[in-house]
Amino acid sequence: MRNRLFWAVAALLLCRLASAQETVKAYPSNWWVGMKHSSLQIMLHGAGIGEDAKVSVSYPGVQLVEFHRVSNPNYLFIRLQLTPNVRPGRVPIRINNARGAAVRLDYPLLTRRSGKGTSYAQGVTSADFIYFLMPDRFSNGEPGNDRIPGMRDQSLNRDSMYFRHGGDMQGILHHLDYLQGLGVTALWMTPVLENDMPDRTEHGYAFTDHYTIDPRLGGADAYLHLADALHQRGMKLIQDAVYNHVGLYHFLVQDLPERSWLHQWPQYTQTNYRDQPLLDPHASAIDKKLSSDGWFTPQMPDLNQGNPDVAEFLIQHALWCVETFAVDGWRIDTYIYNDLAFMNRCNKALLDEYPRLSLFGEAWVHGTANQAYFARNHLDLPYKSNLPGVVDFQCLFNGILPAVKDTSGAGVNDLYGTLSNDFLYEDPARNVVFLDNHDMSRFFSEAGEDWSALRIGLSWLLTSRGIPQLYYGTEIAMKGFSNPDGLVRMDFPGGWPGDRKNAFSREGLSADERSIQELVRKLGLFRRGSSALKTGKLMQYTPVGGSYVYFRYDEKQTILCAMNTGNKPVRLDFSRYAERTAGFRKGVDVLTGASYSLEQPAELPGRTMWVLELQ
Ligand code: CA
């Protein structure tokens, strides 16, 4: 009945583009000429659009390859082949049903952005410094969008950690000077795609429409504006991608194209949150299936990427985002829970189109070998990942955290040992190193609110190999254990009018908080001009008596980093490091300006890290 009505209405709207677009939506909403991905699948969604549908397309350089329906008549999938010489314009797609009713869509084929690889899709490398934030919690630049009529989540209360707080991309735009002043060169936000869920919308990981930017964050206009502003400053944009799941209120779930779009279980079945079954030669099939096909949460249905239509939908969306929003880096959420064969296909499509784009996956796993399994590695295994880099959880859990927490000084052996396993990766410099994020306890809290631990941690972060990522607020020692996770997602002080404490102006910050922010600023800016820290090699020495010394170096510059995490001072005999100190006479502390002669031993105080530029 509903479908018959639709066709009656559709017939009236014959060839009237504006009306047809209100009724039928196309995904992707546009494409471009001159893309390597020239075999385009358009998914049409509209009441009854797939019923008895016949499709015709007439446009020079565009060939209709096939079209198919799925079990839900509200969808129709059309495959077009674009020839290399196709011109931009509007491609008329005509859909007729058996009763002679017709819908016409004029599908936009646009001209591509200029500057691929230089002004967008540039890649985020170890020469960059990433600032990671949650837009809802950083700064409210536009109170008018705090609540959007018609959206499911109408909460707005900064006193509640799970309600919306009103932060948005305009707020970030207001504070790009602050970020740049810290030496930050790349911005990564938790996802900005629409999350029209009833609650818990602060994190952004439950998409409800891939082709809409959340209006509470400012929508597509604000996102484009932010990308432009970053690029004008020589900064870069990282998008947070989620392929594994969608939000329960996604139209694809509410009006499911076909059962096989989701991983179906007889009753709700959660992932086991384990990485081991995916790589364990002794794993059972059911454990493996639970890892990959179990749902992340009841609110986040698990997409079946083995369905070719799902795979195409996701791949094209990734390409569409990079081209539309001028993205430079691509962070992939819940990487290990995806279909890994699909991930290789998807990564390849992005890298074929954008060879300089950086990809890094969230591989929250248990062990360096496990982590390397999900990245490009030197292992001779049946499954070869093509993912360039990962978020380096091992350097945190089995590295800097044990190092700073153990006041005997012995913890640095974990950090040293973890980095010695870098032989597994094709290029460990592509890994993203970090101290904390939106899912885990704040580093300062984890380290017992010990200021020396935070100073050492940040000094390590900005001098270690890989791409450093700072979670918002860690530069002013924000606290919180991630139990529950809302406690590590507090508002950035100064982001809202009337905030008593303001990290931007430093008003209301304690002396300790200011000193941490100053440390980040000094090291961040120093790093920006330091070839050794940005692209140099790493050489580390076996820790002795609680001291751990490593060098970052290239032909132009040598940086000596010395960490003493124990309570007692240690004697540093520089002659031990002759391999790297030869030709230099002194080391100058990047933070204090103090100078140490390399010709005699120096005393490194307890709970201290030096970053010395050799001269
Ligand atoms: Ca707002």
Side-chain angles (χ1 to χ4, degrees):
M1 187 62 200
R2 193 180 58 161
N3 291 336
R4 217 171 296 154
L5 184 67
F6 164 75
W7 285 113
V9 172
L12 290 173
L13 300 178
L14 181 66
C15 295
R16 285 181 55 196
L17 168 68
S19 307
Q21 279 185 336
E22 282 161 19
T23 323
V24 179
K25 282 192 168 171
Y27 303 87
S29 48
N30 69 274
W31 205 245
W32 297 266
V33 301
M35 295 283 280
K36 286 213 171 72
H37 195 94
S38 58
S39 174
L40 174 66
Q41 176 168 287
I42 302 171
M43 179 180 86
L44 297 182
H45 184 217
I49 187 71
E51 201 179 27
D52 300 321
K54 297 277 183 291
V55 177
S56 59
V57 174
S58 172
Y59 190 88
V62 176
Q63 187 200 345
L64 174 64
V65 179
E66 61 99 18
F67 58 89
H68 64 268
R69 303 168 42 187
V70 287
S71 57
N72 181 340
N74 297 338
Y75 291 90
L76 181 62
F77 294 82
I78 299 170
R79 172 73 64 175
L80 303 179
Q81 181 61 49
L82 313 179
T83 62
N85 55 359
V86 64
R87 310 278 305 161
R90 291 186 170 264
V91 179
I93 301 175
R94 199 181 160 94
I95 301 126
N96 294 277
N97 82 342
R99 287 177 291 278
V103 171
R104 178 177 141 165
L105 280 173
D106 286 346
Y107 188 79
L109 268 188
L110 308 179
T111 306
R112 292 187 68 175
R113 283 179 177 277
S114 58
K116 181 179 89 172
T118 53
S119 61
Y120 79 105
Q122 303 170 79
V124 175
T125 69
S126 62
D128 286 301
F129 174 19
I130 301 171
Y131 196 83
F132 172 42
L133 60 80
M134 304 190 84
D136 184 57
R137 303 295 159 92
F138 185 68
S139 172
N140 189 359
E142 172 51 67
N145 62 18
D146 291 359
R147 246 197 220 111
I148 300 288
M151 291 192 84
R152 291 183 177 88
D153 183 354
Q154 290 293 316
S155 73
L156 184 70
N157 184 350
R158 291 181 65 205
D159 293 337
S160 168
M161 62 182 156
Y162 293 137
F163 287 175
R164 292 201 73 89
H165 292 190
D168 49 41
M169 290 189 273
Q170 187 58 49
I172 300 167
L173 272 159
H174 287 160
H175 296 297
L176 292 181
D177 280 343
Y178 169 75
L179 298 184
Q180 208 162 19
L182 293 174
V184 167
T185 65
L187 173 70
W188 160 21
M189 299 176 284
T190 48
V192 297
L193 272 56
E194 182 196 87
N195 271 229
D196 190 10
M197 298 284 286
D199 55 17
R200 293 303 312 273
T201 60
E202 88 283 358
H203 55 70
Y205 290 95
F207 300 168
T208 53
D209 181 352
H210 282 67
Y211 286 87
T212 301
I213 303 300
D214 204 299
R216 295 165 297 199
L217 304 180
D221 287 348
Y223 197 25
L224 285 165
H225 190 182
L226 181 57
D228 277 353
L230 287 167
H231 290 147
Q232 273 166 24
R233 290 167 178 264
M235 296 172 77
K236 297 169 183 174
L237 175 67
I238 297 168
Q239 183 163 317
D240 202 327
V242 189
Y243 304 117
N244 180 62
H245 50 260
V246 291
L248 188 61
Y249 288 85
H250 198 297
F251 72 87
L252 286 169
V253 176
Q254 295 296 309
D255 193 24
L256 191 65
E258 203 155 59
R259 255 183 80 75
S260 66
W261 270 59
L262 300 178
H263 284 127
Q264 303 282 355
W265 297 84
Q267 69 250 348
Y268 174 73
T269 303
Q270 194 148 294
T271 176
N272 50 22
Y273 299 114
R274 298 297 292 259
D275 54 294
Q276 293 91 340
L278 299 167
L279 42 91
D280 174 8
H282 316 295
S284 68
I286 183 62
D287 278 348
K288 215 170 217 173
K289 189 171 164 56
L290 281 166
S291 291
S292 296
D293 300 355
W295 288 23
F296 205 67
T297 74
Q299 301 299 313
M300 296 178 181
D302 202 73
L303 288 173
N304 173 19
Q305 297 146 345
N307 176 319
D309 290 341
V310 175
E312 201 55 39
F313 178 85
L314 293 172
I315 290 170
Q316 290 182 164
H317 174 255
L319 295 167
W320 184 86
C321 285
V322 175
E323 190 69 20
T324 301
F325 299 111
V327 172
D328 300 297
W330 197 250
R331 182 264 185 185
I332 304 160
D333 184 60
T334 48
Y335 193 84
I336 68 167
Y337 302 107
N338 288 284
D339 176 322
L340 295 177
F342 161 77
M343 283 316 312
N344 273 359
R345 259 189 74 198
C346 189
N347 296 340
K348 184 178 183 307
L350 277 168
L351 290 170
D352 282 351
E353 202 78 56
Y354 306 103
R356 295 189 64 181
L357 185 76
S358 296
L359 311 177
F360 58 97
E362 179 200 25
W364 188 340
V365 300
H366 306 86
T368 311
N370 309 38
Q371 188 169 281
Y373 181 85
F374 296 98
R376 285 190 199 158
N377 58 52
H378 293 305
L379 301 166
D380 185 15
L381 293 169
Y383 171 72
K384 292 294 280 181
S385 172
N386 65 1
L387 179 68
V390 288
V391 181
D392 205 328
F393 284 81
Q394 310 317 308
C395 274
L396 178 66
F397 292 137
N398 306 316
I400 190 63
L401 263 179
V404 300
K405 283 167 88 166
D406 183 351
T407 53
S408 81
V412 291
N413 286 292
D414 289 20
L415 179 56
Y416 165 78
T418 293
L419 285 162
S420 73
N421 287 339
D422 272 356
F423 69 89
L424 291 163
Y425 304 104
E426 185 183 282
D427 184 0
R430 297 197 199 108
N431 287 357
V432 171
V433 288
F434 66 115
L435 300 179
D436 41 24
N437 69 22
H438 61 304
D439 287 326
M440 51 188 43
S441 298
R442 293 269 188 181
F443 188 82
F444 187 48
S445 294
E446 193 68 47
E449 297 188 16
D450 177 324
W451 293 96
S452 68
L454 185 55
R455 296 183 73 86
I456 294 171
L458 286 164
S459 300
W460 169 79
L461 178 73
L462 289 162
T463 57
S464 187
R465 66 94 172 110
I467 314 170
Q469 169 243 294
L470 185 81
Y471 184 46
Y472 80 97
T474 294
E475 76 273 30
I476 51 155
M478 276 174 72
K479 301 172 197 171
F481 287 100
S482 64
N483 186 21
D485 54 17
L487 295 173
V488 300
R489 301 172 177 185
M490 295 304 191
D491 293 346
F492 190 76
W496 280 254
D499 280 0
R500 243 178 346 104
K501 194 159 143 180
N502 187 329
F504 302 116
S505 68
R506 304 204 210 177
E507 210 175 324
L509 292 188
S510 72
D512 282 327
E513 289 166 345
R514 282 182 188 220
S515 113
I516 291 295
Q517 195 186 38
E518 195 51 30
L519 180 151
V520 171
R521 180 176 290 118
K522 275 193 172 163
L523 271 181
L525 291 175
F526 176 78
R527 195 181 188 283
R528 204 161 71 184
S530 163
S531 62
L533 293 180
K534 289 196 292 188
T535 52
K537 291 182 180 170
L538 167 69
M539 181 178 285
Q540 58 174 354
Y541 284 79
T542 52
V544 173
S547 71
Y548 168 52
V549 171
Y550 61 92
F551 289 82
R552 299 297 310 282
Y553 65 101
D554 62 13
E555 284 178 356
K556 285 177 279 186
Q557 191 183 36
T558 297
I559 309 287
L560 185 160
C561 303
M563 189 186 286
N564 174 15
T565 54
N567 279 322
K568 295 181 189 129
V570 291
R571 190 167 175 268
L572 280 187
D573 183 352
F574 294 111
S575 66
R576 194 181 157 219
Y577 317 113
E579 212 173 319
R580 292 268 63 84
T581 56
F584 295 106
R585 292 181 51 212
K586 60 176 182 176
V588 177
D589 191 315
V590 167
L591 291 171
T592 65
S595 179
Y596 301 91
S597 167
L598 300 177
E599 281 145 22
Q600 61 203 47
E603 189 174 87
L604 175 59
R607 307 294 292 165
T608 300
M609 179 164 168
W610 283 345
V611 179
L612 309 181
E613 183 178 16
L614 300 194
Q615 293 177 353

